[in-house]
Amino acid sequence: MQYTTLGNSDLKVSRICMGCMGFGDAKNGQHSWTLDEEHSREIIRRGLELGINFFDTAIAYQSGTSEQYLGRALRDFARRDQVVVATKFLPRTPEEIQNGISGQRHIQQMIDTSLKNLGMDYVDLYIYHMWDYQTPLYDILDGLNRIVKAGKARYIGISNCFAYQLAKANALAEKEGFSKFVSIQGHYNLIFREEEREMAKLCAEDNIAMTPYSALAGGRLSKHPGETSKRLEEDSYARFKYDATAQQDAVIIQRVAELAQNHGVTMTEVSLAWLLTKVTAPVVGATKLHHAEGAARAVDLVLTPEELLYLEEPYVPHNLVGVMAQNTPAAASQDHVWSTGSQTIES
C-alpha cells in the first residue's frame, strides 16, 4: 500500500479509502444489497491487512448501522490512532427548520449521533454530505468549527458541491478564522469526469484532497459485459445515474477490459490505476474480499501516457446526475436519496 497526506491536513492516508456504504442492515435503509455485520467485518479486517487505513461511512448509510459495524470492527481489529475515520452529516430536515433548530445545533446532534454509532470519541474527517441551501453557510461553518475546537473532529471535508461553493465556503472560513475544508468527495470516475471542468483545478491550486465516490461506477468499471452482481441488479439509484449513458460509456468500459487483459490484471485495477493519477484517494466500496484485494493492487499498476489517453479519448460530456443534479435552490426542499432513517438522533 502507498500512503499520502490528505490535502492541507496532517492525516496520513492510504491511497485507497474503503467505502462503507455497502455495510449495514439491508432491511433498515436505502439499499437492499448491503452486507450483514459478519461479512462486513471480514472485509474491513482484510482491508486492514492490505494496508488500508482510511475508511469512509455516513450517518445516512442504513440508518446508522454502517457506522456501527465499522466502529465495532475497528475497535476489535485496529488501534484507533492507526486508522483515519471519515463520516458525513446531512442537511437540516424540514421538521428541524420548522422547530427552529439552528445549523450549529443540528451539526452538534449529527456528530454526537455518529460518535455514538461508531463508539468513538472523535472522527478524523467530518464531511458535509450535500449542500444545504436552507441553512446559512456561516452557521454550517461555525457549527463545524465548534466541533473541531471541541475535539470531536480533527478536520472537515465536503461532498457533492460545485467548485464555486467550495471556494466560497473556504473563503468565508478564512475570513472568520474557522476550520477550512481539506477534502472534497465528489462523483468522479472514468465514465463520469465532470469534476475535471473546475473542481480538479481548484483542488490542485489550493491543495484540497480529492477523495471521489463511485470510483468504479457502481461496479460498471469492474465487470465485463454480461457480468452481474446483487448490487447491479438491485441498485436502482446507480441505474438512474448510469443507464442513460450506457451506450457511450460501453466504449470506455471495453477499453478497460482490453487493457486489463493486456496487463494480466482485473478491470478494477485498470480503472483505479487511471483514477489514482488524478486524485488523492478514491473511495472504493467492497462487498467481497476480492474487491478490497483488487483495489489494493491498483496502487502498484502504472499505466503509460498512451494507455491513459486511450482510456480517456472516447469520453463525451455527461449531464449531472444523482445528488449533484439536486444541487439547486429549487430542489432544496425535495426528497433526497439520503436520510437518517429509523435511528434516534442525539439531542
Side-chain angles (χ1 to χ4, degrees), residues 30-83:
Q30 284 88 338
H31 300 306
S32 62
W33 47 268
T34 55
L35 298 186
D36 60 24
E37 186 161 12
E38 178 185 356
H39 292 94
S40 298
R41 287 169 64 86
E42 289 178 0
I43 292 173
I44 294 166
R45 186 172 193 171
R46 184 61 180 138
L48 290 164
E49 292 170 351
L50 294 164
I52 295 172
N53 76 338
F54 189 13
F55 297 84
D56 174 86
T57 183
I59 195 170
Y61 295 164
Q62 302 306 105
S63 299
T65 58
S66 172
E67 290 180 321
Q68 293 166 18
Y69 291 4
L70 176 65
R72 287 193 284 263
L74 292 180
R75 190 158 58 249
D76 290 344
F77 302 143
R79 277 179 26 196
R80 178 65 185 90
D81 62 355
Q82 293 180 331
V83 292

Side-chain angles (χ1 to χ4, degrees), residues 75-142:
R75 190 158 58 249
D76 290 344
F77 302 143
R79 277 179 26 196
R80 178 65 185 90
D81 62 355
Q82 293 180 331
V83 292
V84 175
V85 177
T87 194
K88 301 182 280 293
F89 71 97
L90 293 170
R92 289 189 300 166
T93 64
E95 292 75 22
E96 286 178 306
I97 295 171
Q98 185 175 354
N99 292 333
I101 294 177
S102 68
Q104 292 91 333
R105 183 180 171 190
H106 167 75
I107 290 171
Q108 183 69 59
Q109 293 175 341
M110 290 279 103
I111 188 65
D112 286 348
T113 304
S114 286
L115 292 177
K116 182 179 179 180
N117 286 339
L118 289 161
M120 296 177 179
D121 297 324
Y122 69 94
V123 293
D124 300 278
L125 183 66
Y126 198 45
I127 301 171
Y128 183 17
H129 204 154
M130 61 187 70
W131 197 261
D132 184 352
Y133 284 94
Q134 301 187 94
T135 302
L137 179 57
Y138 180 95
D139 291 359
I140 297 292
L141 295 173
D142 182 32

